[in-house]
Amino acid sequence: PRQAAKTLWYDRPRYVYLEFCVEDSTDVKVVIEDHRVVFSCKNADGVEFYNEIDLYARVNSKDSREKRSDRSITCFMRKWKEKVAWPRITKENIKPAWLSVDFDNWRDWEGDEEVERAMVEQYAEV
């Protein structure tokens, strides 16, 4: 039986970030489409995780990518309309139990573009 991975998200002027919290993940598959993200993987115990998110707004799937670490898989997706805040990440106004806002990374946008650019460049190098 598969289950949903605990997922954190946060919003930035140009990108939306999703973090699927699975430690020691294997068989990671991330499909980023213009209106949807599909994630699946297994953890060290062989538990299967599967998440599907219909996105609040359109993203540029060609300018989106993911990065895996030992603790999680982070996706960053380029917004189609930049500098438009997303009040939520899901299309429907329903919050699944496994989804929450990443308050550690949630910031006011003022003067945040430099920070964001640095983050994206750091991800890109990996």
Side-chain angles (χ1 to χ4, degrees):
R2 48 189 199 176
Q3 58 190 67
K6 177 176 185 272
T7 307
L8 299 171
W9 82 282
Y10 60 101
D11 190 36
R12 282 282 196 274
R14 279 186 298 248
Y15 287 84
V16 172
Y17 295 80
L18 268 178
E19 183 177 6
F20 298 103
C21 304
V22 181
E23 296 193 1
D24 302 325
S25 55
T26 57
D27 296 346
V28 175
K29 289 190 189 67
V30 179
V31 179
I32 299 172
E33 298 171 356
D34 289 353
H35 290 281
R36 188 171 78 128
V37 177
V38 180
F39 166 80
S40 64
C41 76
K42 291 186 179 131
N43 69 5
D45 299 326
V47 176
E48 289 185 36
F49 292 91
Y50 179 88
N51 297 58
E52 189 171 324
I53 299 171
D54 287 316
L55 296 170
Y56 170 77
R58 185 175 180 187
V59 296
N60 182 348
S61 53
K62 293 185 183 54
D63 192 14
S64 301
R65 49 188 104 119
E66 75 278 343
K67 173 187 165 215
R68 184 195 165 279
S69 73
D70 292 339
R71 292 179 46 226
S72 64
I73 298 91
T74 304
C75 303
F76 48 108
M77 301 169 290
R78 184 75 173 246
K79 293 178 178 179
W80 198 257
K81 289 193 174 118
E82 296 188 4
K83 300 186 186 172
V84 175
W86 286 27
R88 58 181 189 270
I89 191 132
T90 52
K91 184 178 174 189
E92 306 290 322
N93 194 8
I94 314 165
K95 192 176 120 15
W98 44 265
L99 181 67
S100 45
V101 169
D102 183 349
F103 286 108
D104 292 344
N105 281 305
W106 192 276
R107 297 222 183 31
D108 196 357
W109 281 8
E110 292 301 308
D112 205 27
E113 302 224 357
E114 290 304 309
V115 176
E116 185 182 36
R117 191 173 298 132
M119 276 179 65
V120 169
E121 281 166 7
Q122 176 198 331
Y123 275 121
E125 283 163 17
V126 173

